Amino acid sequence: MEISAGYAGDAERFAGLFADSFAASEGPDEGTLIGSLVRDILARTDPGDLYCFVARDGETLIGAVCFTRLRYVEDPRRVFLLSPAAVAPTQQRKGVGQRLIRHALAELSAAGSRPC
């Protein structure tokens, strides 16, 4: 498994992983909803306020997480919220999500951000 930042310029495949994962666990309506949410996050969030990470097995996306920045007028800290996260249904319960989140948290901390 290889973990990297970004979504390799393939927003549709990235969003599709979320849609497939949530459809398998929560039903097709939830999959559609979360896939749309991810597409909106990618399209509408300032790149400086968004960190995405993917886990791959070869060319296959097997996991992904997004961290989006929380802003408070009175608080100058850079704080990021994990939302959403997905692991391909065939890869669940293999530690993919845990490894992906640990990697992402280390990267955010190294960049001077506080994930929450």
Side-chain angles (χ1 to χ4, degrees):
M1 178 174 69
E2 177 187 331
I3 298 174
S4 60
Y7 49 91
D10 189 350
E12 192 52 41
R13 191 165 68 130
F14 184 76
L17 173 66
F18 287 90
D20 293 346
S21 177
F22 279 84
S25 65
E26 305 298 325
D29 290 342
E30 190 72 10
T32 299
L33 179 68
I34 299 300
S36 293
L37 170 68
V38 171
R39 286 179 193 91
D40 285 348
I41 288 171
L42 297 178
R44 296 176 185 217
T45 305
D46 183 286
D49 290 342
L50 178 65
Y51 286 91
C52 296
F53 298 88
V54 296
R56 291 185 185 86
D57 182 8
E59 292 297 314
T60 304
L61 291 180
I62 60 171
V65 295
C66 293
F67 286 84
T68 52
R69 186 168 180 189
L70 293 174
R71 291 180 182 265
Y72 298 101
V73 175
E74 302 295 324
D75 192 342
R77 294 177 294 175
R78 289 180 46 88
V79 179
F80 286 80
L81 173 69
L82 167 61
S83 179
V87 174
T90 60
Q91 299 299 314
Q92 293 178 3
R93 302 201 182 278
K94 296 181 180 181
V96 172
Q98 290 178 1
R99 288 176 56 194
L100 183 57
I101 291 170
R102 277 196 300 267
H103 177 90
L105 291 174
E107 292 282 328
L108 286 167
S109 292
S113 299
R114 283 187 59 154
C116 64

